[in-house]
């Protein structure tokens, strides 16, 4: 069983028990016990299904539910026996044991979620509201018990024990909620359970003081919520997270946390003011002044401790920033790998708290492809081979590539207590980034030193395909590599001003690049330059520069110029392809979505209206299938041109894929409103298109389309606007094609309901939620029941019994109708076979409706044969009802299957005859046995002579063709008499019987031999 199924069953079970509990007071003893013990059982089932790593907290919760319900049952039993329960009594002892059990369970959960470490901030966050609520409990709940002179000392102690237990459980609940990390959904349900328990306990306590307690009142509902929520929380998959360590999050809170604490701190002054207002004018004393003062002082100290924690956290953050700056200064001076290791050790020592043990391990491993791996937490099992755990169980591991040959990688491991690593992880990651930069600098320094060799530099220059220039402080070219003649067409550039090579429009960019190189900022991210070739052509180049003025062998700026003209052209082409449709040249889905996001943001800012149109060609698949994809592509190009012509330049039309287009219409569009644009597109595309098939022939094809329109005023985001346009298009396609439809909110509601039904159908099939009803088919002359038609109903778990209009259409679309139809066939045959075993029955057959999709399923004839054999029925007992459209479409295969069924002995009926194609010429050839006249023919048979004549003609024709006729929808005796006069043999309708359940069919067949 899945947890979802268990939750659904549990919810239904509790709903039934709760209804019985309040509807039948005499059942309190049993229903209440069933509610409580089943909730405890659900906790144990949840442990079994979800398998938490630490189940003991949930076992304590189950024990608490058992104790709580046992106390209730003792109390209810005493009341049921006609006695008044003693107070305090045995039930109270069992009750009071509930709170230590719940508290113990919550303590274990808090310890597991916090990883076994305390969290002072979270504890303070929980204690502040606990003190405030505890004060309220004392003033309005506990204190009245202490002042009740009619209660003995023991009665007062027991009465006070309940609110104290509630406050204790509430404190632990708040402590769980304030644990850092993502809050599981099961925790919210537990919070709801605690609220229900607290409210009912408060109401119970007040009723005890007023001697007004009665069993079965509304107060019991809070305890029901407590039982149900605890059991439901245990069945949720997220219950597993309540006993697992939570990811470390921000423990300092935000503005909302400060508001909560401030509100809780104001509870004591507010209570003091209320008591002063309610006090006697002659006696201005506040009765609970000491308690209020103590609560206010304690709240003040807790808030002060929380603020002090924030201040300490701020000081620690500043201290870490200073330590990182010192570490950066230390790392900056490192020149070798060994220096980097020593500097890293010193930096880690600066960051680590002085009272916390740690160990830093380094190793250098050979690697075929050295790569960077960011810091990540690992356990002892995840350490590299050869590294020891050193008594720690938490580690941070990082890897960096090292320079040199052969390739190597540097592996660093920091071992320390888990809470220290979690607290300082951000600082260690910043230090790791500094170490990475240091290693890169060491690598680059070595490379520069290697290239300082004159021989290396000369070889590089002579063989480089890029142009290398040395530029003086006067921005003149002092040296140009030989490749300048190939790339730029200039043989001798010595003494030429650099500006003479650069296009006039890029002179300022050139000056910015030279200034950046001289300032040591480099040329990373610098824009391209456009230079003039010797033949006058413009060349786009990428510039990389280094300042080597201090180098005696260079004494200038070294500029490396690479010709990127072809590369940039290719990048532009690729960029265009990335955002445009290759066939129509329109924007593609990506570009349309980007533009829509921008336009939606602008519309939301300016208060303007934005509309989206979805255009989908009608019957485009038939064009592809019949004329080929070449014709289809030409049609798409023409459609794109017509849409572009309507919306004009400056507007955006896109091909979203296949035969679907989209148009963005902004407010003030020159072509009119979105509706006018939609109407214009529909009209333009309705005109046939002349296209060539590529082999000399031409074809006139239809480009008719349906359009969906949606406006930004109905959507909260660009994504929702697209979805609304799609829904409107779906509506347009579902009605008369070649039209446009505007989005309406009810479309979304209907679609959501349709999707819900579609999803629920699969569960309904698996859960066997379908039921069969039967409507008699009566011999019009004798009144005897000749057969019954099986009618499927859905016994929905929440919506009740549903008729076919609520789900058959969705089942047809999703394909679920095949499984449903198979079940109906088997169930109807099995039920009818049982009826036939009884004596004195006039039933001769059962009629089963078969959908077109089910009939076309491969092997349908074999399925019918197997169903008859499995039910122990005979083929002549079965009448299959099909539609006219099925007989007239795919006729060859369908008729072959119909003949095979009739050869087997199964009879075939055409359902709702006259509402489809009604091709009477086919009746002589059709392999069918029965015609079922649609109710629309019968409704007007008494008032319309034409309708009467038509029905008479059909009955006469069917009789001449040896076809039986069943008239549907007979509701009064006049219709029956008219049909009998025509010679119609059988009828069906409310005049004879409404659909009935299987048990009632036997009564109709035996006890009422004549229904007319």
């Amino acid at each position: 069983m899945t947890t979802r199924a268990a939750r659904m069953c549990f919810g239904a079970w509790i709903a039934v028990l709760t209804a019985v509990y309040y509807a039948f007071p005499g059942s309190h003893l049993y229903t209440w016990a069933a509610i409580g013990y089943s909730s405890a059982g659900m906790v144990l089932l949840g442990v079994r299904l979800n398998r938490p790593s630490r189940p003991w907290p949930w076992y304590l919760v189950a024990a608490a539910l058992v104790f709580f319900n046992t106390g209730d049952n003792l109390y209810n039993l005493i009341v049921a026996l006609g006695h008044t329960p003693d107070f305090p009594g045995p039930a109270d002892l069992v009750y009071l044991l509930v709170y230590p059990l719940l508290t113990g369970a919550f303590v274990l959960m808090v310890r597991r979620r916090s990883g076994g470490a305390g969290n002072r901030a979270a504890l303070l966050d929980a204690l502040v509201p606990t003190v405030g609520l505890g004060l309220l409990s004392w003033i309005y709940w506990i204190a009245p018990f202490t002042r009740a002179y009619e209660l003995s000392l023991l009665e007062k102690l027991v009465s006070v024990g309940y609110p104290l237990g509630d406050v204790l459980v509430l404190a632990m609940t708040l402590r769980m909620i304030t644990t850092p990390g993502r809050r599981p959904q099961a925790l919210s349900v537990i919070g709801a359970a605690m609220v229900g328990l607290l409210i009912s306990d408060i109401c119970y306590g007040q009723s005890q003081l007023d001697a007004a307690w009665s069993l079965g009142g509304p107060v019991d509902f809070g305890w029901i919520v407590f039982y149900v929520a605890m059991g439901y929380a245990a069945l949720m998959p997220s219950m597993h997270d309540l006993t697992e360590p939570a990811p470390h999050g921000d423990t300092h809170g935000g503005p909302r946390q400060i508001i909560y604490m401030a509100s809780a701190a104001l509870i004591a002054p507010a209570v003091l003011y209320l008591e002063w207002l309610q006090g006697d004018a002659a006696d201005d004393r506040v009765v609970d002044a000491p308690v209020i003062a103590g609560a206010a002082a304690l709240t003040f100290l807790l808030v002060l401790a929380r603020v002090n924690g924030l201040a300490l956290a701020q000081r620690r953050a500043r201290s870490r920033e200073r330590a990182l700056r010192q570490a950066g200064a230390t790392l900056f001076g490192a020149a070798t790998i060994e220096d980097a290791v020593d500097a890293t050790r010193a930096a880690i020592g600066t960051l680590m708290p002085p009272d916390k043990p740690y160990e830093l391990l380094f190793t250098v491993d050979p690697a075929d492809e050295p790569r960077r791996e960011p810091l990540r937490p690992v356990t002892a099992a995840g350490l590299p081979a050869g590294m020891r755990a050193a008594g720690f169980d938490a580690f941070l591991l990082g890897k960096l590539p090292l320079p040199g040959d052969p390739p190597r990688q540097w592996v660093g491991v920091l071992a320390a207590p888990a809470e220290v690593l979690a607290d300082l992880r951000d600082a260690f990651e910043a230090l790791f980034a500094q170490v990475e930069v240091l290693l890169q600098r060491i690598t680059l320094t070595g490379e520069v030193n290697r290239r300082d060799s004159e021989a290396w530099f000369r070889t590089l220059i002579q063989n480089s395909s890029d142009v290398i220039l040395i530029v003086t402080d006067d921005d003149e070219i002092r040296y140009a590599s030989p490749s300048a003649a190939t790339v730029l067409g200039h043989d001798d550039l010595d003494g030429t001003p650099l500006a003479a090579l650069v296009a006039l429009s890029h002179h300022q960019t050139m000056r910015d690049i030279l200034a950046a190189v001289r300032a040591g900022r480099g040329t990373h991210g610098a824009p391209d330059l456009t230079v003039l070739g010797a033949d006058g052509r413009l060349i786009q180049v990428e510039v990389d520069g280094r300042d080597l003025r201090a180098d005696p062998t260079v004494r200038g700026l070294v500029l490396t110029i690479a010709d990127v003209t072809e590369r940039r052209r290719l990048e532009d082409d690729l960029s265009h392809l990335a955002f445009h449709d290759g066939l129509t040249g329109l924007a593609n889905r990506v570009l349309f979505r980007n533009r829509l996001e921008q336009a939606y943001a602008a519309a939301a800012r300016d208060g303007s209206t934005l509309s989206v149109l979805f255009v989908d060609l009608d019957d485009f698949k038939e064009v592809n299938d019949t004329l080929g994809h070449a014709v289809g592509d030409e049609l798409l190009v023409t459609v794109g041109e017509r849409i572009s012509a309507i919306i004009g330049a400056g507007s955006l039309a896109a091909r979203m894929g296949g035969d679907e287009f989209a148009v963005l219409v902004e407010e003030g569009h020159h072509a009119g409103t979105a509706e006018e644009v939609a109407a214009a597109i529909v009209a333009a595309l309705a005109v046939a298109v002349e296209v060539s098939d590529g082999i000399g022939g031409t074809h006139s094809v239809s480009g008719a389309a349906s359009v969906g329109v949606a406006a930004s005023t109905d959507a909260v985001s660009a994504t929702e606007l697209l979805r609304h346009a799609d829904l409107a298009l779906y509506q347009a396609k579902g009605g008369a094609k070649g039209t446009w439809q505007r989005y309406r909110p009810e479309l979304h509601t209907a679609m959501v309901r349709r999707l819900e039904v579609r999803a629920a159908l699969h569960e309904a099939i698996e859960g066997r939620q379908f039921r069969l009803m039967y409507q008699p088919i009566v011999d019009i002359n004798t009144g005897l029941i000749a057969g019954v038609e099986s009618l499927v109903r859905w016994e929905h778990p929440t919506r009740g019994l549903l008729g076919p209009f609520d789900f058959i259409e969705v089942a047809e679309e999703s394909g679920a109708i095949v499984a449903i139809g198979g079940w109906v066939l088997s169930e109807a045959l099995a039920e009818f076979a049982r009826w036939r075993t009884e004596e004195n029955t006039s039933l001769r057959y059962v009629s089963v409706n078969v959908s077109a999709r089910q009939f076309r399923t491969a092997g349908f004839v074999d399925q019918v044969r197997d169903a008859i054999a499995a039910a122990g029925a005979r083929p002549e007992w079965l009448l299959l009802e099909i539609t006219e459209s099925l007989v007239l479409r795919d006729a060859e295969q369908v008729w072959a299957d119909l003949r095979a069924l009739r050869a087997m002995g199964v009879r075939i009926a055409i359902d709702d005859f006259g509402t489809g194609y009604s091709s009477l010429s086919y009746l002589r050839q059709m392999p069918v046995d029965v015609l079922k006249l649609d109710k629309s023919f019968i409704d007007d048979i008494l008032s319309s002579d034409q309708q009467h004549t038509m029905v008479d003609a059909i009955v006469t024709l069917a009789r001449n063709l040896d076809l039986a006729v069943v008239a549907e929808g007979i509701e009064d005796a006049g219709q029956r008499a008219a049909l009998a006069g025509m010679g119609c043999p059988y009828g069906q309708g409310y005049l004879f019987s409404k659909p009935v359940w299987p048990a009632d069919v036997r009564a109709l067949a035996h006890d009422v031999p004549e229904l007319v």
Side-chain angles (χ1 to χ4, degrees), residues 29 32-33 37 66-81 83-86 89-95:
L29 179 62
W32 193 260
Y37 289 137
V66 171
F67 273 78
F68 198 92
N69 194 247
T70 301
D72 288 336
N73 295 334
L74 288 175
Y75 186 97
N76 294 340
L77 180 61
I78 294 172
V79 172
L81 293 175
H83 302 295
T84 301
D86 294 331
D92 297 286
L93 176 61
V94 179
Y95 282 143

Side-chain angles (χ1 to χ4, degrees), residues 147-162:
R147 302 191 190 105
Y149 298 104
E150 69 275 14
L151 299 178
S152 65
L153 177 60
L154 181 59
E155 291 173 335
K156 290 180 178 181
L157 291 176
V158 173
S159 299
V160 169
Y162 287 104

Side-chain angles (χ1 to χ4, degrees), residues 168-451:
L168 180 62
V169 171
L170 178 63
M172 294 312 304
T173 305
L174 291 173
R175 178 63 182 86
M176 287 201 302
I177 293 174
T178 56
T179 300
R182 186 178 62 85
R183 192 172 300 159
Q185 291 182 349
L187 181 56
S188 301
V189 178
I190 290 177
M194 295 304 103
V195 170
L197 175 64
L198 182 63
I199 292 175
S200 287
D201 282 354
I202 291 174
C203 295
Y204 175 77
Q206 292 299 321
S207 63
Q208 287 289 85
L209 285 174
D210 301 334
W213 167 252
S214 63
L215 187 63
V219 177
D220 294 350
F221 188 77
W223 289 318
I224 293 176
V225 171
F226 165 67
Y227 281 129
V228 176
M230 293 304 290
Y232 193 86
L235 290 173
M236 299 177 70
S238 60
M239 64 86 78
H240 184 275
D241 298 336
L242 292 177
T243 54
E244 294 294 328
H248 287 275
D250 180 16
T251 61
H252 306 307
R256 186 168 59 181
Q257 194 74 21
I258 300 301
I259 293 174
Y260 289 163
M261 295 186 66
S263 302
L266 291 174
I267 291 178
V271 171
L272 180 63
Y273 179 72
L274 289 175
E275 287 216 352
W276 177 76
L277 286 177
Q278 296 172 358
D280 189 355
D283 184 3
D284 57 354
R285 293 179 301 164
V286 177
V287 177
D288 300 297
V291 176
I292 297 173
L298 181 57
T299 304
F300 174 78
L301 293 176
L302 292 174
V303 173
L304 192 62
R306 187 69 172 93
V307 173
N308 181 61
L310 294 175
L312 289 176
Q314 185 67 21
R315 285 198 293 272
R316 284 197 299 268
R318 288 198 296 267
S319 176
R320 291 170 189 166
E321 290 177 0
R322 288 194 299 270
L324 282 174
R325 286 197 295 271
Q326 295 174 3
T330 303
L331 290 170
F332 184 81
T336 65
I337 302 298
E338 291 73 20
D339 293 342
V341 171
D342 294 338
T344 304
R345 290 188 184 277
I348 293 291
T350 305
L351 288 173
M352 288 295 298
D355 57 339
K356 297 296 183 181
Y358 74 95
E359 186 165 350
L360 186 62
L361 306 174
F362 293 101
T363 183
V364 176
D365 296 333
D368 295 333
E369 295 181 1
R371 65 183 185 277
R372 179 189 187 276
E373 290 188 11
L375 282 182
R376 57 186 175 91
V378 297
T379 61
L383 292 177
M387 281 194 176
R388 53 189 178 85
F392 295 93
D393 56 359
F395 308 85
L396 284 179
L397 171 68
K399 297 181 181 180
L400 290 173
L402 290 177
D405 192 23
R408 301 171 299 163
Q409 65 182 7
W410 178 83
V411 181
V413 175
L414 176 62
E419 62 272 14
V420 175
L421 295 181
D423 191 35
L424 296 175
R425 182 171 177 179
D426 291 340
F428 292 148
E429 288 178 344
L431 179 61
F432 184 79
Q434 292 182 357
V435 173
E436 180 182 11
V437 173
L438 170 62
L439 293 178
Q440 291 176 351
R441 181 170 61 82
I442 292 174
T443 302
L444 292 176
T445 300
E447 186 70 14
V448 170
N449 292 335
R450 185 169 63 90
R451 293 185 180 187

Side-chain angles (χ1 to χ4, degrees), residues 585-910:
L586 299 177
N588 63 7
R589 181 184 295 272
V590 176
L591 179 57
F592 186 84
R593 183 59 185 264
N594 292 342
R595 285 281 300 275
L596 176 61
E597 294 281 358
Q598 298 171 8
Y600 185 90
R605 183 176 59 253
D606 303 337
S608 57
T609 301
L610 180 73
S611 297
V612 169
L613 279 62
F614 268 6
V615 183
D616 189 86
L617 301 186
D618 298 332
D619 304 321
F620 178 73
K621 184 177 183 301
E622 295 182 3
V623 175
N624 271 344
D625 292 345
T626 57
L627 301 178
H629 289 277
V631 173
D633 290 346
E634 192 170 347
L635 173 60
L636 292 175
V637 172
T638 304
V639 168
E641 292 172 350
R642 291 186 179 182
I643 293 176
S644 298
I646 291 172
I647 66 174
S651 298
L652 183 65
R655 183 186 175 205
M656 306 297 281
D659 61 337
E660 188 174 275
F661 297 80
V663 178
L664 187 62
V665 179
E666 301 185 50
E667 191 170 310
H669 194 276
H670 68 89
T673 64
E675 289 82 359
E676 293 171 343
V677 175
I681 290 175
V682 169
L685 298 184
V687 179
V689 179
E690 290 287 337
V691 294
S692 170
D693 57 10
I695 56 175
T698 59
H699 302 275
S700 178
V701 297
S702 172
S706 301
V707 181
V709 183
S712 58
T713 52
D714 296 324
V716 298
S717 66
T719 300
E720 189 173 61
L721 180 57
L722 289 174
R723 190 162 58 247
H724 287 176
D726 201 22
L727 284 173
L729 176 62
Y730 179 83
Q731 183 71 11
K733 298 285 284 187
K737 295 181 180 180
T739 61
W740 63 272
Q741 289 287 339
R742 186 176 181 85
Y743 168 78
R744 301 185 304 278
E746 56 266 23
L747 292 180
H748 182 265
T749 303
M751 181 61 69
V752 170
R753 172 59 64 89
R754 198 175 188 91
L755 291 176
E756 289 176 350
V757 171
R758 185 168 185 159
L761 273 175
H762 296 287
E763 295 185 6
I765 294 172
E766 296 176 0
R768 296 184 175 273
Q769 297 175 5
F770 294 101
R771 303 290 181 267
L772 283 184
M773 298 185 75
Y774 298 89
Q775 187 172 26
I777 299 172
V778 177
D779 187 316
I780 289 181
N781 295 312
T782 65
L784 296 176
I785 299 177
V788 290
E789 179 181 359
S790 59
L791 304 171
V792 66
R793 301 291 186 266
W794 182 5
E795 193 171 10
H796 197 281
T798 58
R799 297 171 60 190
L801 194 66
L802 302 180
F805 294 106
D806 293 313
F807 63 90
I808 287 297
E809 183 179 352
V810 178
E812 287 275 6
E813 288 182 0
S814 64
I817 192 66
V818 176
I820 296 173
W823 176 85
V824 170
L825 178 64
S826 300
E827 184 70 14
L829 282 171
E831 190 73 45
F832 190 80
R834 287 192 291 270
W835 293 334
R836 289 285 298 187
T837 59
E838 301 179 3
E839 298 179 357
N840 301 324
T841 178
S842 61
L843 296 176
R844 299 198 303 273
Y845 66 92
V846 62
S847 176
V848 177
N849 289 277
V850 179
S851 73
R853 188 164 187 167
Q854 180 187 1
F855 193 93
R856 293 193 183 99
T857 303
F860 176 72
V861 175
D862 294 332
Q863 294 176 18
V864 173
R865 183 182 293 107
D866 294 342
I868 294 173
R874 296 169 59 181
E876 57 267 25
W877 294 352
L878 177 61
L879 175 67
L880 295 180
E881 296 188 15
I882 61 175
T883 61
E884 292 178 80
S885 59
L886 174 64
V887 179
L888 298 177
R889 185 179 299 171
D890 302 333
E892 184 176 346
Q893 181 60 44
V894 171
W895 286 23
D897 290 344
L898 290 176
R899 292 189 184 96
L901 289 169
R902 295 183 73 205
M904 189 191 310
V906 176
R907 295 191 302 152
I908 306 298
I910 295 182

Side-chain angles (χ1 to χ4, degrees), residues 111-146:
R111 293 291 295 174
R112 285 295 299 167
R113 280 184 57 76
S114 60
N119 191 315
R120 180 173 176 270
L123 179 61
L124 292 175
D125 289 343
L127 285 177
V128 170
T130 301
V131 171
L133 295 175
L135 174 62
L136 293 176
S137 298
W138 170 265
I139 299 298
Y140 300 105
W141 194 4
I142 301 175
F145 284 114
T146 62

